[in-house]
Amino acid sequence: MSASRTARERVRAELIREITEIARRHLTVDGAAGLSLRAVAREMGMVSSAIYRYFPSRDDLLTTLIVDGYNALGEAVEKADAACARDDYMGRWLAVCHVVRGWALAHPHEYALLYGSPVPGYRAPEDTIAPATRGVAVYGRILADAIAAERLAPPAILPEPPATITPDADTVRTLIPGASDDVITRAVTAWTGLFGMVSFEVFGQFTNTINHRAEFFEHTMTCLARLLGLPS
Amino acid sequence: MSASRTARERVRAELIREITEIARRHLTVDGAAGLSLRAVAREMGMVSSAIYRYFPSRDDLLTTLIVDGYNALGEAVEKADAACARDDYMGRWLAVCHVVRGWALAHPHEYALLYGSPVPGYRAPEDTIAPATRGVAVYGRILADAIAAERLAPPAILPEPPATITPDADTVRTLIPGASDDVITRAVTAWTGLFGMVSFEVFGQFTNTINHRAEFFEHTMTCLARLLGLPS
DNA sequence: ATTCGTCAAGAGCAGTGCTCTCGAATCCTG
DNA sequence: CAGGATTCGAGAGCACTGCTCTTGACGAAT
């Protein structure tokens, strides 16, 4: 029962892989709503009903694509972070920002699937939340490292967060050990700022407005880092 | 040719109104992908082909819904701003934030249509860009008023933006007269931060993480205002 | 009163997700 | 190795979608 037992299981795993591969290609071309089980089956030389042997519904196929997307982005984030000097906290943050933006621009439909409007009658299953935390876990590690090295110096321009959010901050603190409530809220603000910026760009909110987007992005992410207190 | 010429045009306008009304109700219930021309026609006691007398395609119906959405949100923003003292710049900004968040939570599918992933093969026509600027115009006016009153004092914790983005800043400056490039970038950062936060909440990115969302939102928006330099 | 434009209705096309049944191929067990 | 159990692909079919085209009826202008 190591990698593959029977021949049937081998071909089954291979078929599942091939289906998701074709589906991902259709997704990147036509978007989530254009993903058709019948079209995938047609391309595989199968009949549509045969697909249902491998994916009980279209939503399940979509779910694995979402999971794959989170993993792909998460892995890219991990690699970008790993390529930086451990004590270059600002560089690590900017690397994460750039790889998120780059991945989103390279795979806009997949990005939309992860961070855009949820698809129609689709309910996000439990399987998606674990891989979804992969990217933000890296982010938390960067901040935790900076805190541990006493290099995080957030500028004292903000009011203290209300005590109401302490329980929520506790949840986030599992990702950023040692962070105060103030740092937690700054961290979430910067994180949502990153994705807000990327979403605005990917979803076309910047058309006819911001054209030097790479430079603009670079600068605004640096600003968010400053708000966070990351050392330059 | 004043309000209504012939009886035929009257009933035609009324039918268009009724179709969009039913379509909007279907939209808020089932989402954009669940919006079906046939279902709308069925509810009106019409046959599906009759709808095409009034909307040449499903995308055109969607476009008017998008335009209506931008106008509804824009009008809400305008009203919220108008209800504040003109020199309470922080209050006006927070009012805008709250009304955006409230409207998004009350109409998640419509919000997704405006600020989420663009629908499948749908290309945003020109008609949508004008109403889309209604909300951000209010935002620009708030900042412009604060600048004119010399009450905008952004904390000097950020690096100067690169000169590359000056042409883009010029474009935004038509909305915020008198703003420096630095203020412009801060303003865009705060604006995307607002929508990033709202999108994360509406699209379910905060589930199992941030639960005291109203308080959290209030605080983070205050932080963004501080970054902007709005007086408390 | 007749002509002309507008309209609702219906049939129809091509496509979708999904279910069911039916042989055939494959696997596991005796 | 043989037989029963599982799994699988194929096909038909249901209910639904957006959209097109034709047909016949109604109302308004000439």
Side-chain angles (χ1 to χ4, degrees):
Chain A
M1 59 143 61
S2 62
S4 52
R5 271 223 317 249
T6 81
R8 201 176 245 172
E9 289 186 8
R10 279 243 302 274
V11 67
R12 180 180 179 84
E14 172 60 24
L15 276 183
I16 288 182
R17 204 195 54 78
E18 191 176 346
I19 290 173
T20 62
E21 190 175 300
I22 295 180
R24 177 167 24 250
R25 221 182 49 241
H26 284 202
L27 172 70
T28 62
V29 173
D30 299 323
L35 176 61
S36 153
L37 275 184
R38 293 179 112 111
V40 173
R42 213 175 298 129
E43 185 164 335
M44 292 191 59
M46 278 173 134
V47 90
S48 73
S49 59
I51 299 282
Y52 287 84
R53 299 279 177 195
Y54 304 95
F55 290 94
S57 83
R58 179 181 174 275
D59 278 5
D60 287 79
L61 177 55
L62 249 165
T63 298
T64 77
L65 289 180
I66 290 178
V67 171
D68 286 3
Y70 275 124
N71 278 321
L73 179 56
E75 191 183 320
V77 167
E78 288 168 4
K79 280 189 180 167
D81 173 60
C84 297
R86 298 336 279 146
D87 61 347
D88 181 12
Y89 310 106
M90 173 68 95
R92 290 167 71 185
W93 154 255
L94 287 179
V96 167
C97 292
H98 284 132
V99 80
V100 168
R101 174 172 180 263
W103 190 88
L105 290 176
H107 313 84
H109 287 121
E110 278 152 288
Y111 177 82
L113 207 55
L114 305 187
Y115 295 99
S117 15
V119 276
Y122 178 78
R123 93 285 163 217
E126 295 294 314
D127 322 356
T128 64
I129 62 173
T133 60
R134 240 176 113 171
V136 76
V138 173
Y139 176 55
R141 241 171 287 142
I142 297 173
L143 293 188
D145 289 355
I147 293 173
E150 297 186 353
R151 296 295 313 268
L152 197 75
I157 59 166
L158 303 184
E160 274 296 307
T164 335
I165 66 151
T166 299
D168 293 336
D170 288 338
T171 308
V172 183
R173 221 180 322 264
T174 62
L175 287 172
I176 319 175
S180 65
D181 283 12
D182 177 46
V183 167
I184 295 282
T185 53
R186 291 178 195 237
V188 179
T189 304
W191 190 247
T192 60
L194 160 59
F195 282 89
M197 195 68 71
V198 171
S199 292
F200 260 37
E201 179 170 356
V202 173
F203 297 157
Q205 223 80 25
F206 280 158
T207 38
N208 302 332
T209 309
I210 310 290
N211 293 313
H212 297 76
R213 294 177 193 157
E215 296 89 342
F216 188 83
F217 180 78
E218 168 89 19
H219 177 64
T220 53
M221 290 306 110
T222 308
C223 292
L224 288 180
R226 280 289 203 294
L227 183 69
L228 253 172
L230 285 176
S232 60
Chain B
M1 55 144 62
S2 62
S4 52
R5 272 222 316 249
T6 81
R8 213 184 268 203
E9 288 186 11
R10 280 242 302 272
V11 67
R12 179 179 180 85
E14 172 60 24
L15 276 184
I16 288 182
R17 202 195 55 77
E18 191 176 348
I19 290 174
T20 62
E21 190 176 301
I22 294 179
R24 175 164 29 249
R25 221 182 48 242
H26 284 202
L27 172 69
T28 63
V29 172
D30 299 324
L35 176 62
S36 153
L37 276 183
R38 292 181 114 111
V40 173
R42 212 176 300 129
E43 185 165 335
M44 293 192 58
M46 278 173 132
V47 90
S48 71
S49 58
I51 299 281
Y52 289 84
R53 298 272 174 199
Y54 305 96
F55 289 95
S57 81
R58 180 181 174 275
D59 277 6
D60 286 80
L61 178 53
L62 248 164
T63 298
T64 76
L65 289 181
I66 289 178
V67 171
D68 285 2
Y70 275 124
N71 278 321
L73 178 56
E75 192 183 321
V77 167
E78 288 168 4
K79 279 188 182 169
D81 173 61
C84 296
R86 296 339 278 147
D87 60 348
D88 180 13
Y89 310 107
M90 173 67 95
R92 290 167 71 184
W93 154 255
L94 287 180
V96 167
C97 292
H98 283 132
V99 81
V100 168
R101 174 172 180 264
W103 190 88
L105 290 176
H107 313 85
H109 288 120
E110 277 153 287
Y111 177 82
L113 208 55
L114 305 187
Y115 294 100
S117 14
V119 277
Y122 178 78
R123 94 285 164 216
E126 295 296 314
D127 320 358
T128 64
I129 63 172
T133 60
R134 242 176 111 171
V136 76
V138 173
Y139 176 55
R141 241 171 287 141
I142 297 174
L143 293 187
D145 288 355
I147 292 173
E150 296 186 355
R151 293 298 311 269
L152 197 76
I157 59 166
L158 303 183
E160 275 295 309
T164 334
I165 65 152
T166 300
D168 292 336
D170 288 338
T171 308
V172 182
R173 221 182 318 268
T174 61
L175 287 172
I176 319 175
S180 65
D181 283 10
D182 177 46
V183 167
I184 295 283
T185 54
R186 290 178 195 239
V188 179
T189 304
W191 190 248
T192 61
L194 160 60
F195 281 89
M197 196 67 72
V198 171
S199 292
F200 260 36
E201 180 170 355
V202 173
F203 296 157
Q205 223 80 22
F206 280 159
T207 39
N208 301 332
T209 308
I210 309 291
N211 293 312
H212 297 76
R213 293 175 192 159
E215 297 89 343
F216 188 84
F217 180 78
E218 167 89 20
H219 178 64
T220 53
M221 290 306 110
T222 309
C223 292
L224 288 180
R226 279 292 204 292
L227 183 71
L228 253 171
L230 285 176
S232 59

